[in-house]
Amino acid sequence: MKTLKEAYSRYFRIGAAVNPRSLERFGDLVGSQFSSLTCENEMKFASIEPKPGEYTFGGADIVYDFAKRNDIPMRGHTLLWHAQTPMWVYEGGRDAALARIKSHMLAMAGRYPDIWSWDVVNETIADDKTGALRRSPAYEAIGPDYLRVVYRMAAEIFPNAQLVLNDYNELSPEKRAGMIRAAKDINAEGNIVSTIGMQGHWNIWVDPDDVRRCISEIAEAGFRVQVTELDLSCFKWDEREPEDRDTPEYRAQLAKAYGSIFAVFREFADVIDAVTFWGVDDGSSWLNGFPAGRRPNWPLLFDREGKPKEAYYAVTEF
Ligand code: XIL
């Protein structure tokens, strides 16, 4: 059996979002399969500095030390976001907010100096189909130029990291246009953000042609691509009722969908730097609680025992 990182060594890194629990349960699997790791929550602002000056690096340290021991490079997720970032960060006006963001970045750079790629600001585009910037707390506190200022700051503090503008719903043309516009605006005075992060929270009916169109548009606009949070839900967005979809029929559809999107990813191996799964096994997926609370889902390549599913072979055998 070929591991994911072996199968893709000539294409791009294959990553996973992990946390101390999933590492405890599936450390061997993670160590052997993946060539990039992301903290699922542990590097978010609220995990690192829940109260001003009170740093809680414990969770991030566990993941970082595991990655070091296993010689796996890490992505950083995320320096600033409208969620999982305490509101005190934004209090007291532009200069106060920027000073706090800067000291947060310096703390992260000091403790985790070799992160290869940072999601600097997460989910910056509004959901209103205009592709405009989200009126996030950072936008309100710092002003409409906040992305330029914050990304420039990150470029100074993390000079060796690939900086990413990361968002979801990138298969929607309006949202994608907004992401590209925002990234170009950040780069108006120099090359700061090189990469668009497509989260890749899709479902098992995802159309590979949509994925191809998305990546080629981003590449044509001059940006590199990472798929940063890939999972394929067994439910459509509006379906909220629990139902057992760990059946042969759904497993086959999951495999077909993963096989077809990875074929597209391979076509773009020259623009994609990494494809990261959002979780290791079905049991550790956030989709067991989102968007419908406590409903089981089966969106990943490994089952709840860590055994490779049909989808795993669809991805690794080509
Ligand atoms: C999710 C985590 O997986 C959950 O454990 C947490 O409760 C909420 O955040 N987009 C992102 C990720 O950028 O940070 C989110 O992660 C999933 C959606």
Side-chain angles (χ1 to χ4, degrees), residues 1 26-34 280-281 302 305-308:
M1 183 177 112
F26 292 118
D28 291 346
L29 182 70
V30 171
S32 63
Q33 290 284 344
F34 297 104
V280 178
D281 69 300
F302 297 98
E305 305 301 318
K307 284 210 287 295

Side-chain angles (χ1 to χ4, degrees), residues 151-170:
Y151 271 82
R152 180 172 293 278
M153 193 184 269
E156 279 162 19
I157 296 175
F158 306 96
N160 301 317
Q162 180 176 97
L163 302 188
V164 179
L165 187 79
N166 190 48
D167 215 322
Y168 60 90
N169 273 359
E170 59 285 339

Side-chain angles (χ1 to χ4, degrees), residues 62-295:
I62 289 173
V63 176
Y64 185 79
D65 293 344
F66 175 93
K68 275 256 125 86
R69 272 200 313 281
N70 288 275
D71 206 16
I72 308 177
M74 277 197 76
R75 312 185 68 253
H77 174 79
T78 172
L79 294 166
L80 203 63
W81 190 15
H82 59 269
Q84 294 180 276
T85 304
M87 286 309 287
W88 57 259
V89 173
Y90 306 110
E91 278 162 16
R94 176 179 171 105
D95 292 345
L98 285 172
R100 292 195 199 95
I101 292 165
K102 185 170 187 180
S103 65
H104 175 66
M105 286 190 195
L106 288 169
M108 297 308 274
R111 197 158 182 107
Y112 310 114
D114 44 9
I115 300 289
W116 73 270
S117 169
W118 268 109
D119 298 335
V120 179
V121 188
N122 198 30
E123 301 179 347
T124 58
I125 306 302
D127 283 321
D128 61 5
K129 297 226 166 236
T130 66
L133 290 187
R134 180 190 296 274
R135 298 301 180 102
S136 63
Y139 180 105
E140 300 295 350
I142 300 166
D145 65 341
Y146 86 101
L147 284 179
R148 280 195 196 188
V149 182
V150 170
Y151 271 82
R152 180 172 293 278
M153 193 184 269
E156 279 162 19
I157 296 175
F158 306 96
N160 301 317
Q162 180 176 97
L163 302 188
V164 179
L165 187 79
N166 190 48
D167 215 322
Y168 60 90
N169 273 359
E170 59 285 339
L171 300 187
S172 138
E174 298 85 6
K175 182 98 180 234
R176 178 160 75 240
M179 290 163 73
I180 291 172
R181 209 160 42 238
K184 284 188 170 165
D185 184 70
I186 293 168
N187 286 348
E189 292 154 31
N191 253 336
I192 302 277
V193 56
S194 64
T195 304
I196 303 260
M198 308 167 41
Q199 290 188 358
H201 295 298
W202 302 324
N203 65 38
I204 58 175
W205 300 278
V206 61
D207 183 345
D209 291 335
D210 287 345
V211 175
R212 183 180 294 106
R213 203 170 301 121
C214 179
I215 300 175
S216 66
E217 263 183 41
I218 296 171
E220 272 164 34
F223 293 98
R224 302 195 61 73
V225 169
Q226 284 190 44
V227 183
T228 54
E229 306 182 13
L230 182 61
D231 46 26
L232 300 183
S233 175
C234 292
F235 297 90
K236 298 201 169 113
W237 177 254
D238 292 328
E239 294 178 314
R240 299 291 159 95
E241 291 302 312
E243 189 184 309
D244 178 13
R245 294 198 171 169
D246 192 24
T247 62
E249 187 196 349
Y250 278 104
R251 281 192 176 218
Q253 180 63 32
L254 182 84
K256 183 174 159 225
Y258 267 121
S260 67
I261 60 174
F262 269 83
V264 174
F265 298 158
R266 290 193 299 273
E267 288 172 30
F268 290 95
D270 55 338
V271 290
I272 298 180
D273 292 301
V275 174
T276 296
F277 291 91
W278 204 245
V280 178
D281 69 300
D282 286 339
S284 63
S285 168
W286 75 305
L287 292 177
N288 295 302
F290 180 88
R294 302 232 229 123
R295 176 189 62 187

